[in-house]
Amino acid sequence: MKLDLLLRNADIITMDPARPVASSLGIWQGRIVGLDDEVDGLDAVQVLDLGGATVTPGFIDAHCHTTWFGLGLAELDVSCARGLEELYELLRGAVSEAGADDEGWLFATGFSQTQHGGSFPDIAELDRITGERPLFMRHNSGHMAIVNTAALRMAGAESPSFPDPDGGAIVRDAAGRPTGLVQETAQELIQQLILPYSLSDIEAALERATLYYASEGITSFTEAGVGGGWIGHSPAELAAYQNAAANGRLHARAQVMPVLDVLHGLGGHSSDSPGAAPAGLDLGIASGFGNEFLSLGPAKVFLDGSLLGETAAVSHEFCSHGHKDNRGNTGYFQADPAQLRESIEAAYAAGWSIAAHAIGDRAVDLAVDIITDCQAAYGPRRVPNRIEHASMTRPEQLAKLAESGIAVTPQASFFRDGGDGMTASLGPDRLPWAYRAASFLEAGVVVAGSSDRPVADGNVLRGMQAFVDRRTESGAVFGNPAERLTPQQALAAYTSGAAAATGSLGEKGTLEPGKLADFTVLSASPLTAPAISELHVLATAVGGRFTYQSTDFHAALSLESPFAAPVSAGRVSAPESS
């Protein structure tokens, strides 16, 4: 037998408890054939001596927004601005560069009031800068946006008497005038003027984003919401994914979540789903459909808002801080709980797993109650049910999550930029409930590493570091120090844990014979490095083909070895969808 690729002289961290380390790994037709003695004496088309570099399973980001991130890479990035005057200057530059005759939309991404002392832009100043050119500037939480008067006028929402939509708010000043901040579902008033993006634009965004992912060692990801709502970009968004895969422009494996809004009644035989009338996609397509390169994940449903925006549904009011008076503010659900239950049950009855965005502990209660009731009525799902973020979980909720088999996706990437602000919002009594990690694992809950990119930093090595040290921008430890993970647990979150949460542990997440040959080559071991965040990704491979090779990769190879052979980069080819 002649292998396609043989890695030798490597520090291989398999994440397989039965064989945790190895030094050689053989690959044939996109899968792992064996390790160490299992590949001794076998020849290969390509043999690489890695000179002691570390190999881990490919990183998995279990919750991100790839289309949004890819589009943002071509938009004005304001995340570097510190102080509103710097923000205004970036906007002036973008308007000047476009020219006075450009009347198209001005798109910006990456705004956060935490970078500006808690202040939001003055809509009057935005109007002076942009004139009649409509502005849509995404907040980095995704749960709000900044717009100008021209955009509000186009949406017919400029008047003080314009009503807030259910589950959202057009924020106004004391006189009833819009401030330019639109929260939650109110964003859709503006987005409906922009959407849908063309499939070619989305495909190009996916290529930009996944090339970026490859440079960071990411081999798989879950797109957390497509097709509708305020998070989707086109009713045909999945077609852009299929096109990108078919055209070699998707450089990582994708699990795609449709938002619950796009599911609809299916009818069918009365015996198909006793109880709730099923709601899904046409032909009965549901979670798990596809192949190992592109598949459908759970249906995504938003139950509440965000901690950074203080719109999450919590059991005790947010603390007042700075100039913010939070008396009586316990956040809110994005729809009536009874309506949410009915919609979720209809999707579950049609065969869909559920990924419930639940940040506040009151929203986690609702998510657990609905999902456990659905599981009791209709049985478990092969693709696990999940709670996205699970940012605030009370102690008694841990056992319920474990018993029900619901996976969670907390984002360590929020600690640095948002940790100090969330600390002020939550106060000392509830802070130990925030963004758990170690206590989830101790309770037996599956924890998936994820970023929520572009809401937060998507770099996996920095995410692992954050799980280990939990440091905020001020240097404080965010939340309960006992929630810090070991480096081994942090690596597991982005490999075996994320694979388990996405229902794909049988195919990836560990380096074992028979599994997909997805791996990341690092400059040193994250298990022993003094600072995980300072490691470098040398190379990334999906199915044994390199999607990324750094300029240092060849230097890391021991070319004097008799086993060394030239490295040839191969474009990832996706199998046809089932």
Side-chain angles (χ1 to χ4, degrees):
M1 178 182 185
K2 192 168 188 177
L3 301 174
D4 295 324
L5 177 63
L6 179 61
L7 305 180
R8 289 192 181 277
N9 192 21
D11 172 24
I12 301 173
I13 304 171
T14 68
M15 300 308 292
D16 174 13
R19 178 164 42 187
V21 296
S23 60
S24 299
L25 183 146
I27 297 166
W28 182 66
Q29 293 192 351
R31 290 187 179 265
I32 298 168
V33 172
L35 299 101
D36 290 350
D37 58 307
E38 295 167 340
V39 294
D40 280 351
L42 295 182
D43 193 9
V45 174
Q46 187 176 64
V47 182
L48 299 180
D49 185 317
L50 294 187
T54 297
V55 176
T56 71
F59 297 154
I60 302 170
D61 188 334
H63 178 118
C64 55
H65 302 282
T66 304
T67 301
W68 172 13
F69 175 62
L71 290 169
L73 290 174
E75 296 173 351
L76 175 65
D77 182 3
V78 300
S79 62
C80 60
R82 294 296 182 271
L84 291 178
E85 189 49 50
E86 285 190 18
L87 173 70
Y88 297 147
E89 193 58 37
L90 287 174
L91 293 172
R92 291 187 192 101
V95 171
S96 175
E97 184 177 343
D101 296 333
D102 192 334
E103 298 179 354
W105 282 86
L106 174 58
F107 295 110
T109 188
F111 173 81
S112 174
Q113 74 276 18
T114 62
Q115 298 159 347
H116 308 284
S119 298
F120 288 89
D122 181 350
I123 192 171
E125 183 62 29
L126 294 178
D127 291 344
R128 280 191 285 272
I129 294 169
T130 58
E132 290 303 308
R133 185 178 180 186
L135 166 71
F136 185 76
M137 180 163 57
R138 287 258 200 185
H139 190 276
N140 69 354
S141 71
H143 288 265
M144 60 184 87
I146 308 296
V147 300
N148 62 357
T149 299
L152 289 166
R153 187 179 301 121
M154 289 175 65
E158 182 185 9
S159 168
S161 63
F162 189 87
D164 287 337
D166 289 340
I170 302 169
V171 179
R172 304 176 188 278
D173 62 19
R177 295 183 295 264
T179 65
L181 179 62
V182 288
Q183 295 178 329
E184 305 297 348
T185 60
Q187 296 176 93
E188 294 182 49
L189 298 170
I190 309 301
Q191 288 174 307
Q192 66 185 357
L193 304 173
I194 303 165
L195 300 174
Y197 285 85
S198 71
L199 294 185
S200 61
D201 283 347
I202 296 174
E203 184 180 344
L206 292 174
E207 180 168 44
R208 283 192 297 269
T210 56
L211 283 171
Y212 200 102
Y213 289 1
S215 73
E216 294 184 335
I218 295 170
T219 57
S220 294
F221 66 94
T222 295
E223 169 72 87
V226 302
W230 58 263
I231 204 66
H233 296 87
S234 167
E237 202 161 350
L238 183 61
Y241 265 92
Q242 290 182 296
N243 293 344
N247 296 330
R249 302 180 74 183
L250 193 63
H251 303 281
R253 303 184 194 276
Q255 182 188 68
V256 179
M257 295 180 181
V259 296
L260 197 69
D261 311 51
V262 305
L263 307 186
H264 52 265
L266 294 178
H269 195 277
S270 59
S271 66
D272 291 342
S273 57
L281 297 181
D282 293 328
L283 301 178
I285 295 170
S287 301
F289 180 80
N291 55 45
E292 70 270 9
F293 198 82
L294 175 60
S295 65
L296 288 174
K300 170 76 177 294
V301 56
F302 287 92
L303 299 190
D304 68 344
S306 76
L307 281 183
L308 290 173
E310 297 177 341
T311 56
V314 292
S315 56
H316 300 83
E317 64 187 25
F318 290 102
C319 297
S320 297
H321 56 95
H323 300 293
K324 185 70 179 290
D325 183 358
N326 271 321
R327 285 176 294 183
N329 179 18
T330 58
Y332 50 86
F333 293 115
Q334 295 223 346
D336 178 75
Q339 179 186 340
L340 288 167
R341 175 179 286 273
E342 182 179 354
S343 299
I344 291 170
E345 186 177 358
Y348 201 93
W352 287 92
S353 304
I354 299 298
H357 168 110
I359 284 187
D361 62 307
R362 193 156 52 99
V364 171
D365 278 334
L366 181 62
V368 171
D369 287 347
I370 295 175
I371 291 173
T372 53
D373 286 349
C374 286
Q375 289 178 162
Y378 304 102
R381 292 286 176 258
R382 185 185 66 79
V383 176
N385 295 302
R386 300 168 33 165
I387 292 182
E388 307 306 295
H389 314 296
S391 307
M392 293 291 293
T393 47
R394 302 188 308 276
E396 69 272 17
Q397 292 174 319
L398 298 177
K400 293 180 179 179
L401 288 165
E403 290 167 5
S404 61
I406 299 173
V408 297
T409 61
Q411 288 79 32
S413 47
F414 287 144
F415 301 161
R416 186 190 65 192
D417 293 334
D420 291 324
M422 289 187 287
T423 297
S425 292
L426 298 175
D429 293 339
R430 284 178 296 172
L431 200 54
W433 305 353
Y435 283 96
R436 296 177 181 271
S439 60
F440 278 142
L441 294 176
E442 290 164 8
V445 179
V446 173
V447 175
S450 69
S451 68
D452 205 17
R453 178 184 255 163
V455 175
D457 182 8
N459 182 284
V460 172
L461 293 171
R462 289 196 288 268
M464 289 173 58
Q465 183 72 56
F467 267 133
V468 170
D469 64 29
R470 297 180 70 90
R471 293 291 177 185
T472 70
E473 189 173 37
S474 69
V477 175
F478 177 67
N480 184 354
E483 294 292 349
R484 289 181 289 199
L485 298 184
T486 67
Q488 178 84 21
Q489 290 170 327
L491 177 58
Y494 289 98
T495 55
S496 55
T502 54
S504 57
L505 186 56
E507 290 284 299
K508 58 190 175 186
T510 65
L511 299 176
E512 300 179 59
K515 288 196 174 183
L516 295 165
D518 297 354
F519 61 87
T520 301
V521 183
L522 300 174
S523 55
S525 171
L527 305 186
T528 57
I532 300 171
S533 59
E534 293 181 8
L535 298 178
H536 301 288
V537 174
L538 300 180
T540 307
V542 176
R545 294 190 175 189
F546 287 101
T547 55
Y548 171 75
Q549 298 173 56
S550 74
T551 54
D552 295 331
F553 185 48
H554 288 274
L557 301 178
S558 176
L559 296 180
E560 295 180 359
S561 166
F563 301 110
V567 179
S568 60
R571 172 167 284 186
V572 173
S573 58
E576 294 182 4
S577 297
S578 56

